[in-house]
Amino acid sequence: MIKVLYFAQVAELTKTRQEDWQLDAPVSGAQWLKSLIERYPDLAPGSRLKLAINQEHAPLDALIHPGDEVAVFEPVTGG
């Protein structure tokens, strides 16, 4: 199981701020994002989303392990 946190527009599109996901084996961030988009198609394209694993920014090739906390958010831009 992993704990998933959603922020800003991602939370609006998923209609939740957090949920638990079943995860039995490590998976890459990119693979997990594919599953996320299958569950929430309005989040597409997944390539625009950023991940933090256990409160640290993570590249999409980072592994997510059972027991991890994963945050999903969009990049922040300034003006």
Side-chain angles (χ1 to χ4, degrees), residues 1 6-7 23 26-27 29-30 32 39-40 42 51 57 66 68-69 78:
M1 196 69 81
Y6 303 111
F7 293 93
L23 185 69
V27 63
W32 183 80
R39 186 179 285 193
Y40 300 109
D42 289 342
L51 297 178
H57 289 272
D68 283 347
E69 177 186 86

Side-chain angles (χ1 to χ4, degrees), residues 12-78:
E12 291 176 22
L13 293 171
T14 61
K15 296 181 177 43
T16 188
R17 291 241 175 242
Q18 72 177 48
E19 62 183 334
D20 293 328
W21 277 56
Q22 185 65 37
L23 185 69
D24 297 321
V27 63
S28 75
Q31 290 171 311
W32 183 80
L33 275 176
K34 286 175 78 172
S35 296
L36 180 70
I37 299 304
E38 288 173 9
R39 186 179 285 193
Y40 300 109
D42 289 342
L43 293 178
S47 59
R48 70 184 172 79
L49 299 174
K50 302 294 181 188
L51 297 178
I53 301 172
N54 298 323
Q55 301 180 6
E56 291 190 24
H57 289 272
L60 295 182
D61 61 352
L63 288 180
I64 299 169
H65 296 87
D68 283 347
E69 177 186 86
V70 178
V72 184
F73 53 94
E74 293 183 304
V76 178
T77 59

